[in-house]
Amino acid sequence: MPESKTNRIAIYVSAFIIIILILFALLRDNADAITLKQAKELLQNHNVEKVVATKKYVYLKTKKGYYKIPFSQVTPDMFADYKVEVDNESNILLYLLVFILVLGLGSLAFRKWQKKSLKEIFTVSESKNNTDFSPSEGNTHIEAIKSDVSFNDIGGISDVKVELEEIIDFMKNPKRYKSFGARMPKGVLLIGPPGVGKTMIAKAVAHEAGVPFYYQSGASFVQIYVGMGAKRVHELFAAAKKNAPSIIFIDEIDAVGKKRDGNRNDEREATLNQLLTEMDGFEGSSGVIVIAATNKIDVLDAALLRAGRFDRRVFVELPTKREREAILIKYLEKIPHELDVKIVANMTVGFNGAALATLVNEAALLALRQNDFRVTLEHFEQVKDKVIFGKKKLQMLNERQKAFRATYQAGKVMVATYYDITFEKLMLSNEKLTPATDEPFIKQELESRVKMLLAGIAACDIKYNEHASSAKDDLDEAKKLVKKMCEEYGMCSSLLPDKKEQELLLKRLYEESRALLESLLKVLEKIEYVLLERESISKTEVKEYLNEVF
């Protein structure tokens, strides 16, 4: 809740309490209790000026003060010489409370009507000043988001957490840093591939610091109307400063923060200029920190990255094996399961946090469809390829096509197992064995992968002297990988190779893959048989067949 609104409510509550205390002081019963004997003496001596009777007490007013005696102790004869007034003590208090309540509600209704009238006047005035093409988006009110994500909800970010703990501590204890003469960075840039949890990390920082969280995507600033993107940036920073300390999170900042070429002055550049101006306008005591996320830091404008704006850069990489274990444990907390998380972490190389969440969810849904009480490793193996490649409609293969596919897949899975390429299980219907990753490889690892990609073609050429058109994807990937090895990685005979060297390398790797398959034809036949019967085979089974030969 904004601070101004909180203060207003506190004032109203305080005023109400003060009024109640005043009424209590005025209306409380301050008469002294006396005995029947004392009351008779006052009445007989004619010291009583006024007699008031209520349901509980009879009140005697004298020059010295007020006295009361319980109504049950007196008789009417005692007041024969006096005029007794009958009063209902609750009526006065009740009427006053009703009056105060009506007065308070009436004043609140009047203030609300007054604000509404002023808003309508300003809206009409603004619509007159603007053209008919003014977008409605410019009038949106920016509200803070209450973050319910904590660092405990995110697994595998221990390194990132250390980097951001200083910011959390600064927002909780700013005097500690100011007294030491230190200042925290105005901006933090989270850099990493999609799906690694950059938005969740920013929300966790806001939650741990206990401050308002303002979320905007970079694309929301890009407007087709002149000046609207800059206006939205100004409104965002104004709202954050008003409710400081607070955090502004700009997702996909590259949408608005791309490099300026100087040849044009379009709306995007005007919005970027406004963003730069707002970040320069931060005061040391503003208490606002900007966190932005991008997966394309190379396209960001240099002015955005200079010191004084995004001072700190935090790289959020794909999770390691240990981090994948931590993430999986978090997602499996509320799901009944019976599996070793380490095995699932081993089979999910290259998965980001979002992919792991989808994998766990798909496995749980599959378990429910199959009426299983627990999620097992088998469920994960069945949905893994669906998460990586997506669900495709299975082709209807005739017997000859199915035989070609079995041979093709048998060649790939045997070479992949021989060179220990990461995978857990191969399905007959899969077009790919494992997803490509951007991890650095040595030359031998890259050559092994190319051999695996060409192994299906080699196996079909050995058995049928021809192969199917479904080999296109693997062949394209093999060519692309060989091209990178020669042109980008310098892994050919010279650092400046020609196209002929690529052809020679591709041909050599194909021949080596074919030679390996020809030396293990019996193992290849066993794998084909399993694929035709079960339409799937695991890496463990292929290893057993290879161990029988070696």
Side-chain angles (χ1 to χ4, degrees), residues 304-382:
L304 202 59
L305 298 175
R306 74 157 175 81
R309 291 194 177 116
F310 287 104
D311 307 87
R312 181 169 294 185
R313 303 175 190 179
V314 179
F315 289 86
V316 187
E317 303 292 348
L318 288 172
T320 62
K321 178 184 174 183
R322 183 176 297 178
E323 290 170 342
R324 290 196 300 274
E325 288 180 22
I327 294 171
L328 287 166
I329 289 172
K330 289 291 180 184
Y331 288 133
L332 287 167
E333 281 181 350
K334 297 181 180 180
I335 296 177
H337 61 276
E338 191 175 288
L339 52 86
D340 188 350
V341 177
K342 291 184 178 180
I343 297 177
V344 181
N346 281 332
M347 63 187 281
T348 51
V349 177
F351 275 55
N352 56 38
L356 291 172
T358 303
L359 180 68
V360 172
N361 188 59
E362 289 291 343
L365 292 175
L366 178 63
L368 286 173
R369 283 198 302 269
Q370 296 178 351
N371 296 320
D372 294 328
F373 295 104
R374 295 180 181 276
V375 176
T376 63
L377 185 62
E378 182 68 23
H379 297 125
F380 277 90
E381 290 175 345
Q382 291 182 47

XYZ file of all heavy atoms in Angstrom, residues 304-382:
641
model
N 23.801 3.379 -21.516
C 23.012 2.666 -20.517
C 23.895 1.844 -19.591
O 23.539 1.568 -18.455
C 21.995 1.764 -21.222
C 20.754 1.314 -20.448
C 19.942 2.498 -19.976
C 19.902 0.403 -21.305
N 25.067 1.462 -20.093
C 25.940 0.557 -19.345
C 27.041 1.288 -18.589
O 27.811 0.657 -17.871
C 26.577 -0.457 -20.308
C 25.614 -1.379 -21.049
C 26.376 -2.226 -22.052
C 24.852 -2.273 -20.081
N 27.137 2.599 -18.788
C 28.239 3.308 -18.142
C 28.034 3.378 -16.629
O 26.934 3.162 -16.116
C 28.376 4.709 -18.720
C 27.295 5.679 -18.270
C 27.797 7.114 -18.406
N 26.767 8.101 -18.106
C 26.430 8.476 -16.890
N 26.992 7.901 -15.842
N 25.511 9.419 -16.702
N 29.133 3.707 -15.913
C 29.069 3.817 -14.458
C 28.092 4.914 -14.059
O 28.016 5.965 -14.690
C 30.463 4.146 -13.920
N 27.340 4.659 -13.011
C 26.342 5.607 -12.553
C 24.943 5.247 -12.994
O 23.971 5.853 -12.541
N 24.834 4.283 -13.899
C 23.508 3.807 -14.303
C 23.402 2.330 -13.899
O 23.021 2.027 -12.794
C 23.313 4.042 -15.801
C 23.190 5.552 -16.111
C 22.671 5.827 -17.493
N 22.515 7.259 -17.704
C 23.187 7.971 -18.594
N 24.065 7.377 -19.390
N 22.990 9.276 -18.716
N 23.754 1.437 -14.796
C 23.785 0.027 -14.395
C 25.208 -0.309 -13.974
O 26.029 -0.784 -14.760
C 23.295 -0.868 -15.536
C 21.816 -0.798 -15.750
C 21.287 -0.086 -16.803
C 20.952 -1.411 -14.868
C 19.918 0.004 -16.990
C 19.581 -1.333 -15.035
C 19.065 -0.632 -16.097
N 25.485 -0.032 -12.691
C 26.842 -0.204 -12.177
C 27.234 -1.668 -12.019
O 28.389 -2.030 -12.176
C 26.974 0.476 -10.810
C 26.523 1.918 -10.841
O 25.322 2.132 -10.649
O 27.362 2.811 -11.061
N 26.266 -2.476 -11.674
C 26.582 -3.881 -11.354
C 25.926 -4.806 -12.369
O 24.761 -4.643 -12.707
C 26.090 -4.217 -9.951
C 26.400 -5.641 -9.518
C 26.134 -5.843 -8.049
N 27.042 -5.057 -7.225
C 27.078 -5.132 -5.892
N 26.269 -5.956 -5.255
N 27.922 -4.383 -5.210
N 26.691 -5.783 -12.823
C 26.179 -6.770 -13.767
C 26.277 -8.159 -13.141
O 27.341 -8.555 -12.666
C 26.979 -6.737 -15.076
C 26.984 -5.369 -15.732
C 27.882 -5.326 -16.948
N 28.065 -3.956 -17.418
C 28.826 -3.623 -18.453
N 29.479 -4.560 -19.113
N 28.959 -2.362 -18.811
N 25.180 -8.842 -13.144
C 25.120 -10.184 -12.552
C 24.759 -11.170 -13.660
O 23.710 -11.042 -14.290
C 24.081 -10.249 -11.420
C 24.012 -11.658 -10.840
C 24.399 -9.229 -10.335
N 25.642 -12.125 -13.894
C 25.415 -13.116 -14.945
C 24.692 -14.327 -14.350
O 25.158 -14.936 -13.389
C 26.742 -13.552 -15.573
C 27.371 -12.485 -16.418
C 28.193 -11.523 -15.853
C 27.118 -12.429 -17.782
C 28.762 -10.524 -16.623
C 27.679 -11.439 -18.566
C 28.502 -10.479 -17.994
N 23.533 -14.638 -14.929
C 22.730 -15.782 -14.490
C 22.817 -16.835 -15.594
O 22.180 -16.716 -16.636
C 21.263 -15.377 -14.247
C 20.491 -16.542 -13.631
C 21.178 -14.146 -13.368
N 23.626 -17.833 -15.362
C 23.890 -18.846 -16.393
C 22.919 -20.019 -16.252
O 22.158 -20.119 -15.292
C 25.335 -19.345 -16.282
C 26.377 -18.245 -16.397
C 26.443 -17.631 -17.778
O 25.838 -18.196 -18.716
O 27.087 -16.574 -17.932
N 22.990 -20.925 -17.235
C 22.217 -22.165 -17.132
C 22.669 -22.944 -15.907
O 23.859 -22.949 -15.574
C 22.419 -23.020 -18.386
C 21.741 -22.514 -19.668
C 22.196 -23.351 -20.856
C 20.234 -22.560 -19.549
N 21.759 -23.580 -15.200
C 22.127 -24.270 -13.959
C 23.063 -25.445 -14.199
O 22.943 -26.169 -15.191
C 20.780 -24.738 -13.399
C 19.866 -24.791 -14.575
C 20.323 -23.711 -15.500
N 23.995 -25.624 -13.270
C 24.875 -26.782 -13.298
C 24.125 -28.001 -12.769
O 22.955 -27.905 -12.369
C 26.121 -26.527 -12.429
O 25.698 -26.322 -11.070
C 26.878 -25.289 -12.906
N 24.813 -29.133 -12.754
C 24.169 -30.362 -12.283
C 23.677 -30.209 -10.843
O 22.542 -30.560 -10.523
C 25.160 -31.525 -12.382
C 24.594 -32.839 -11.855
C 25.647 -33.942 -11.879
C 25.134 -35.208 -11.216
N 26.164 -36.273 -11.175
N 24.524 -29.668 -9.966
C 24.126 -29.487 -8.566
C 22.972 -28.502 -8.452
O 22.056 -28.687 -7.641
C 25.324 -28.988 -7.753
C 25.046 -28.832 -6.266
C 26.282 -28.431 -5.513
N 27.313 -29.452 -5.597
C 28.527 -29.329 -5.055
N 28.846 -28.218 -4.413
N 29.412 -30.299 -5.176
N 23.007 -27.441 -9.256
C 21.924 -26.461 -9.225
C 20.627 -27.044 -9.775
O 19.539 -26.724 -9.284
C 22.337 -25.225 -10.017
C 23.431 -24.409 -9.330
C 23.993 -23.329 -10.221
O 23.799 -23.401 -11.456
O 24.643 -22.412 -9.695
N 20.739 -27.910 -10.794
C 19.523 -28.571 -11.306
C 18.904 -29.467 -10.239
O 17.678 -29.562 -10.129
C 19.858 -29.389 -12.563
C 20.199 -28.547 -13.775
C 20.126 -29.359 -15.051
N 21.023 -30.482 -15.083
C 22.298 -30.433 -15.477
N 22.813 -29.285 -15.875
N 23.047 -31.511 -15.485
N 19.737 -30.117 -9.452
C 19.223 -30.936 -8.348
C 18.430 -30.070 -7.369
O 17.332 -30.440 -6.943
C 20.385 -31.623 -7.616
C 21.048 -32.744 -8.399
C 22.183 -33.382 -7.607
O 22.174 -33.249 -6.368
O 23.076 -33.980 -8.222
N 18.996 -28.910 -7.011
C 18.319 -28.016 -6.069
C 16.991 -27.518 -6.630
O 15.981 -27.445 -5.924
C 19.231 -26.838 -5.731
N 16.973 -27.184 -7.927
C 15.739 -26.701 -8.560
C 14.692 -27.803 -8.596
O 13.509 -27.584 -8.290
C 16.047 -26.191 -9.978
C 16.935 -24.945 -9.911
C 14.761 -25.862 -10.733
C 17.469 -24.504 -11.255
N 15.100 -29.012 -8.954
C 14.162 -30.135 -9.022
C 13.573 -30.460 -7.656
O 12.384 -30.774 -7.535
C 14.874 -31.362 -9.608
C 15.174 -31.310 -11.111
C 16.161 -32.405 -11.498
C 13.886 -31.450 -11.922
N 14.411 -30.378 -6.616
C 13.918 -30.641 -5.259
C 12.828 -29.642 -4.886
O 11.806 -30.004 -4.277
C 15.087 -30.582 -4.251
C 16.012 -31.806 -4.450
C 14.571 -30.542 -2.824
C 17.292 -31.743 -3.644
N 13.009 -28.372 -5.275
C 11.996 -27.349 -4.994
C 10.681 -27.662 -5.693
O 9.609 -27.575 -5.106
C 12.508 -25.974 -5.456
C 13.618 -25.402 -4.609
C 13.119 -25.017 -3.242
C 14.227 -24.442 -2.389
N 13.779 -24.156 -1.013
N 10.768 -28.043 -6.979
C 9.548 -28.300 -7.749
C 8.865 -29.599 -7.348
O 7.667 -29.774 -7.589
C 9.865 -28.321 -9.238
C 10.178 -26.960 -9.813
C 11.269 -26.762 -10.632
C 9.383 -25.859 -9.523
C 11.566 -25.507 -11.154
C 9.664 -24.610 -10.032
C 10.758 -24.439 -10.848
O 11.041 -23.196 -11.355
N 9.616 -30.521 -6.751
C 9.043 -31.824 -6.376
C 8.543 -31.866 -4.937
O 8.073 -32.903 -4.490
C 10.094 -32.922 -6.571
C 10.404 -33.309 -8.022
C 11.672 -34.151 -8.092
C 9.235 -34.062 -8.644
N 8.662 -30.738 -4.218
C 8.294 -30.723 -2.803
C 6.855 -31.164 -2.562
O 6.559 -31.899 -1.629
C 8.518 -29.319 -2.223
C 9.967 -29.025 -1.896
C 10.150 -27.634 -1.312
O 9.179 -26.849 -1.352
O 11.252 -27.337 -0.836
N 5.923 -30.706 -3.408
C 4.505 -30.989 -3.191
C 3.973 -32.080 -4.105
O 2.763 -32.288 -4.187
C 3.697 -29.697 -3.407
C 4.050 -28.601 -2.421
C 3.206 -27.356 -2.645
C 3.561 -26.258 -1.657
N 2.750 -25.029 -1.871
N 4.880 -32.756 -4.807
C 4.458 -33.809 -5.733
C 4.915 -35.160 -5.191
O 6.106 -35.351 -4.921
C 5.064 -33.572 -7.135
C 4.515 -32.270 -7.722
C 4.760 -34.739 -8.063
C 5.113 -31.908 -9.063
N 4.006 -36.097 -4.991
C 4.431 -37.431 -4.530
C 5.301 -38.112 -5.584
O 4.904 -38.238 -6.734
C 3.100 -38.177 -4.327
C 2.107 -37.427 -5.151
C 2.548 -36.001 -5.201
N 6.491 -38.518 -5.194
C 7.412 -39.089 -6.180
C 8.247 -40.190 -5.540
O 8.354 -40.285 -4.321
C 8.335 -38.009 -6.753
C 9.210 -37.352 -5.723
N 8.783 -36.298 -4.943
C 10.489 -37.600 -5.341
C 9.759 -35.925 -4.133
N 10.800 -36.699 -4.341
N 8.817 -40.977 -6.408
C 9.695 -42.074 -5.991
C 10.823 -42.180 -7.014
O 10.770 -42.984 -7.938
C 8.892 -43.370 -5.918
C 9.639 -44.509 -5.239
C 8.759 -45.741 -5.091
O 7.839 -45.719 -4.248
O 8.997 -46.704 -5.836
N 11.826 -41.314 -6.861
C 12.918 -41.281 -7.826
C 14.143 -40.641 -7.204
O 14.078 -39.966 -6.179
C 12.507 -40.523 -9.095
C 11.908 -39.124 -8.931
C 12.976 -38.062 -8.859
C 10.967 -38.810 -10.083
N 15.274 -40.843 -7.850
C 16.538 -40.241 -7.454
C 16.709 -38.955 -8.254
O 16.841 -38.987 -9.483
C 17.684 -41.214 -7.732
C 19.008 -40.720 -7.169
O 19.069 -39.541 -6.739
O 19.986 -41.483 -7.173
N 16.713 -37.823 -7.559
C 16.799 -36.527 -8.237
C 18.104 -36.398 -9.005
O 18.159 -35.732 -10.045
C 16.646 -35.387 -7.208
C 16.796 -34.033 -7.878
C 15.297 -35.479 -6.522
N 19.159 -37.035 -8.535
C 20.457 -36.941 -9.221
C 20.382 -37.531 -10.627
O 21.022 -37.029 -11.555
C 21.524 -37.666 -8.405
C 21.861 -36.976 -7.086
C 22.981 -37.688 -6.368
C 23.341 -36.961 -5.068
N 24.438 -37.635 -4.334
N 19.597 -38.589 -10.796
C 19.457 -39.198 -12.123
C 18.739 -38.240 -13.063
O 19.127 -38.077 -14.223
C 18.696 -40.542 -12.012
C 19.495 -41.534 -11.164
C 18.435 -41.116 -13.402
C 18.786 -42.853 -10.935
N 17.688 -37.590 -12.564
C 16.949 -36.623 -13.390
C 17.851 -35.441 -13.742
O 17.820 -34.927 -14.857
C 15.688 -36.133 -12.659
C 14.912 -35.148 -13.532
C 14.800 -37.311 -12.284
N 18.689 -35.003 -12.783
C 19.616 -33.899 -13.058
C 20.626 -34.290 -14.135
O 21.001 -33.460 -14.970
C 20.339 -33.499 -11.771
N 21.052 -35.544 -14.143
C 22.010 -36.008 -15.156
C 21.397 -36.015 -16.556
O 22.089 -35.765 -17.537
C 22.490 -37.425 -14.809
C 23.543 -37.425 -13.719
O 24.272 -36.462 -13.564
N 23.599 -38.499 -12.952
N 20.112 -36.285 -16.644
C 19.470 -36.403 -17.948
C 18.919 -35.074 -18.464
O 18.291 -35.029 -19.518
C 18.338 -37.438 -17.885
C 17.224 -37.080 -16.941
S 15.998 -38.415 -16.737
C 15.032 -38.218 -18.222
N 19.165 -33.989 -17.732
C 18.610 -32.686 -18.137
C 19.717 -31.665 -18.385
O 19.602 -30.498 -18.020
C 17.648 -32.160 -17.065
O 18.285 -32.196 -15.772
C 16.377 -32.980 -17.010
N 20.801 -32.099 -19.001
C 21.885 -31.173 -19.346
C 21.357 -30.125 -20.330
O 20.688 -30.463 -21.308
C 23.068 -31.932 -19.970
C 24.160 -30.958 -20.389
C 23.611 -32.961 -18.996
N 21.640 -28.842 -20.056
C 21.182 -27.776 -20.932
C 19.799 -27.247 -20.607
O 19.341 -26.300 -21.239
N 19.120 -27.813 -19.619
C 17.791 -27.336 -19.219
C 17.931 -26.073 -18.364
O 18.808 -26.001 -17.502
C 17.053 -28.401 -18.407
C 16.329 -29.416 -19.242
C 16.990 -30.157 -20.216
C 14.979 -29.651 -19.054
C 16.327 -31.092 -20.974
C 14.305 -30.588 -19.809
C 14.973 -31.312 -20.779
N 17.071 -25.106 -18.587
C 17.002 -23.952 -17.692
C 15.939 -24.190 -16.634
O 15.265 -25.228 -16.632
C 16.739 -22.662 -18.473
C 15.472 -22.745 -19.320
O 14.472 -23.318 -18.906
N 15.516 -22.171 -20.510
N 15.782 -23.218 -15.729
C 14.813 -23.390 -14.639
C 13.394 -23.571 -15.132
O 12.641 -24.388 -14.601
N 13.011 -22.811 -16.170
C 11.653 -22.916 -16.702
C 11.415 -24.287 -17.330
O 10.333 -24.869 -17.187
C 11.419 -21.817 -17.734
N 12.417 -24.793 -18.039
C 12.280 -26.119 -18.659
C 12.162 -27.207 -17.603
O 11.407 -28.173 -17.771
C 13.463 -26.388 -19.579
N 12.901 -27.064 -16.501
C 12.814 -28.045 -15.417
C 11.427 -28.017 -14.771
O 10.873 -29.062 -14.427
C 13.889 -27.769 -14.367
C 15.333 -28.037 -14.801
C 16.305 -27.540 -13.751
C 15.561 -29.529 -15.059
N 10.873 -26.811 -14.613
C 9.516 -26.699 -14.052
C 8.500 -27.375 -14.962
O 7.606 -28.095 -14.498
C 9.164 -25.223 -13.860
N 8.656 -27.158 -16.275
C 7.750 -27.796 -17.236
C 7.919 -29.309 -17.223
O 6.931 -30.054 -17.308
C 8.030 -27.253 -18.650
O 7.896 -25.834 -18.642
C 7.065 -27.848 -19.663
N 9.160 -29.774 -17.107
C 9.428 -31.212 -17.086
C 8.744 -31.877 -15.897
O 8.078 -32.917 -16.044
C 10.937 -31.456 -17.032
C 11.390 -32.910 -16.993
C 11.085 -33.603 -18.313
C 12.885 -33.011 -16.672
N 8.879 -31.273 -14.719
C 8.249 -31.836 -13.515
C 6.733 -31.845 -13.659
O 6.062 -32.822 -13.312
C 8.683 -31.036 -12.271
C 7.890 -31.486 -11.043
C 10.173 -31.206 -12.016
N 6.190 -30.761 -14.187
C 4.739 -30.665 -14.346
C 4.216 -31.696 -15.348
O 3.185 -32.341 -15.113
C 4.366 -29.256 -14.799
C 2.865 -29.032 -14.796
O 2.206 -29.152 -13.777
N 2.314 -28.729 -15.966
N 4.922 -31.849 -16.475
C 4.499 -32.831 -17.481
C 4.571 -34.250 -16.932
O 3.712 -35.077 -17.213
C 5.369 -32.702 -18.739
C 5.123 -31.448 -19.552
C 3.773 -31.462 -20.234
O 3.170 -32.540 -20.358
O 3.301 -30.381 -20.630
N 5.617 -34.536 -16.143
C 5.735 -35.867 -15.539
C 4.584 -36.122 -14.567
O 4.030 -37.226 -14.514
C 7.079 -35.996 -14.821
N 4.211 -35.089 -13.781
C 3.096 -35.237 -12.843
C 1.777 -35.449 -13.582
O 0.956 -36.289 -13.180
C 3.013 -34.000 -11.948
N 1.567 -34.715 -14.678
C 0.342 -34.881 -15.462
C 0.273 -36.272 -16.084
O -0.798 -36.887 -16.131
C 0.280 -33.819 -16.565
C 0.078 -32.375 -16.090
C 0.168 -31.416 -17.262
C -1.263 -32.213 -15.383
N 1.415 -36.765 -16.548
C 1.443 -38.110 -17.122
C 1.111 -39.158 -16.065
O 0.371 -40.119 -16.338
C 2.819 -38.377 -17.733
C 3.020 -39.765 -18.345
C 2.063 -39.989 -19.521
C 4.467 -39.958 -18.806
N 1.647 -38.987 -14.863
C 1.351 -39.929 -13.779
C -0.150 -39.943 -13.463
O -0.736 -41.008 -13.228
C 2.155 -39.562 -12.536
N -0.775 -38.769 -13.486
C -2.218 -38.702 -13.232
C -3.011 -39.376 -14.344
O -3.991 -40.087 -14.084
C -2.648 -37.240 -13.102
C -2.259 -36.534 -11.799
C -2.585 -35.049 -11.880
C -2.976 -37.159 -10.608
N -2.582 -39.166 -15.599
C -3.294 -39.800 -16.726
C -3.207 -41.319 -16.649
O -4.134 -42.020 -17.034
C -2.695 -39.315 -18.055
C -3.135 -37.930 -18.456
C -2.894 -37.678 -19.936
N -1.501 -37.840 -20.317
C -0.608 -36.842 -20.309
N -0.983 -35.627 -19.921
N 0.627 -37.057 -20.685
N -2.086 -41.813 -16.148
C -1.893 -43.256 -16.062
C -2.380 -43.830 -14.729
O -2.144 -45.000 -14.433
C -0.410 -43.582 -16.264
C 0.101 -43.213 -17.645
C 1.582 -43.506 -17.818
O 2.282 -43.827 -16.858
N 2.074 -43.414 -19.055
N -3.022 -42.959 -13.913
C -3.568 -43.383 -12.612
C -2.497 -43.945 -11.689
O -2.741 -44.894 -10.926
C -4.692 -44.402 -12.806
C -5.881 -43.808 -13.532
O -6.256 -42.664 -13.292
N -6.458 -44.584 -14.436
N -1.289 -43.389 -11.763
C -0.209 -43.791 -10.856
C -0.249 -42.913 -9.611
O -0.590 -41.732 -9.675
C 1.144 -43.664 -11.549
C 1.297 -44.647 -12.699
O 0.722 -45.748 -12.594
O 1.969 -44.316 -13.686
N 0.156 -43.507 -8.492
C 0.112 -42.771 -7.236
C 1.353 -41.915 -7.024
O 1.334 -40.981 -6.237
C -0.043 -43.745 -6.053
C -1.342 -44.479 -6.077
C -1.401 -45.810 -6.477
C -2.517 -43.854 -5.696
C -2.602 -46.496 -6.492
C -3.725 -44.525 -5.709
C -3.770 -45.844 -6.112
N 2.435 -42.226 -7.720
C 3.682 -41.475 -7.560
C 4.336 -41.234 -8.916
O 4.153 -42.020 -9.846
C 4.669 -42.236 -6.650
C 4.189 -42.391 -5.223
C 5.198 -43.154 -4.397
N 4.745 -43.341 -3.037
C 4.894 -42.441 -2.066
N 5.501 -41.298 -2.331
N 4.455 -42.685 -0.851
N 5.105 -40.146 -8.984
C 5.878 -39.856 -10.188
C 7.193 -40.631 -10.108
O 7.890 -40.591 -9.091
C 6.170 -38.339 -10.306
C 7.057 -38.048 -11.512
C 4.874 -37.561 -10.424
N 7.527 -41.332 -11.176
C 8.741 -42.137 -11.208
C 9.659 -41.675 -12.342
O 9.299 -40.813 -13.144
C 8.398 -43.630 -11.406
O 7.764 -43.787 -12.692
C 7.454 -44.119 -10.304
N 10.839 -42.281 -12.396
C 11.800 -41.940 -13.432
C 11.259 -42.251 -14.821
O 11.550 -41.547 -15.798
C 13.110 -42.711 -13.188
C 14.273 -42.380 -14.131
C 14.684 -40.916 -13.999
C 15.460 -43.299 -13.846
N 10.444 -43.259 -14.928
C 9.846 -43.633 -16.209
C 8.987 -42.505 -16.772
O 9.004 -42.247 -17.978
C 9.008 -44.910 -16.027
C 8.368 -45.420 -17.304
C 9.386 -45.944 -18.312
O 10.503 -46.325 -17.892
O 9.066 -45.943 -19.512
N 8.278 -41.822 -15.905
C 7.453 -40.689 -16.352
C 8.329 -39.572 -16.910
O 8.001 -38.953 -17.922
C 6.596 -40.163 -15.194
C 5.611 -41.151 -14.670
N 5.551 -41.515 -13.353
C 4.644 -41.873 -15.302
C 4.579 -42.398 -13.176
N 4.020 -42.642 -14.341
N 9.449 -39.310 -16.233
C 10.361 -38.260 -16.715
C 10.957 -38.633 -18.073
O 11.112 -37.777 -18.945
C 11.470 -38.021 -15.695
C 11.073 -37.106 -14.572
C 10.509 -37.607 -13.417
C 11.250 -35.733 -14.676
C 10.133 -36.774 -12.378
C 10.876 -34.891 -13.657
C 10.310 -35.413 -12.495
N 11.303 -39.895 -18.239
C 11.885 -40.325 -19.515
C 10.885 -40.205 -20.658
O 11.250 -39.870 -21.787
C 12.381 -41.767 -19.388
C 13.599 -41.913 -18.485
C 13.981 -43.371 -18.281
O 13.138 -44.251 -18.598
O 15.100 -43.642 -17.816
N 9.622 -40.432 -20.358
C 8.596 -40.378 -21.403
C 8.279 -38.950 -21.844
O 7.922 -38.721 -23.001
C 7.315 -41.063 -20.916
C 7.445 -42.566 -20.753
C 6.140 -43.202 -20.325
O 5.083 -42.921 -20.879
N 6.209 -44.078 -19.327
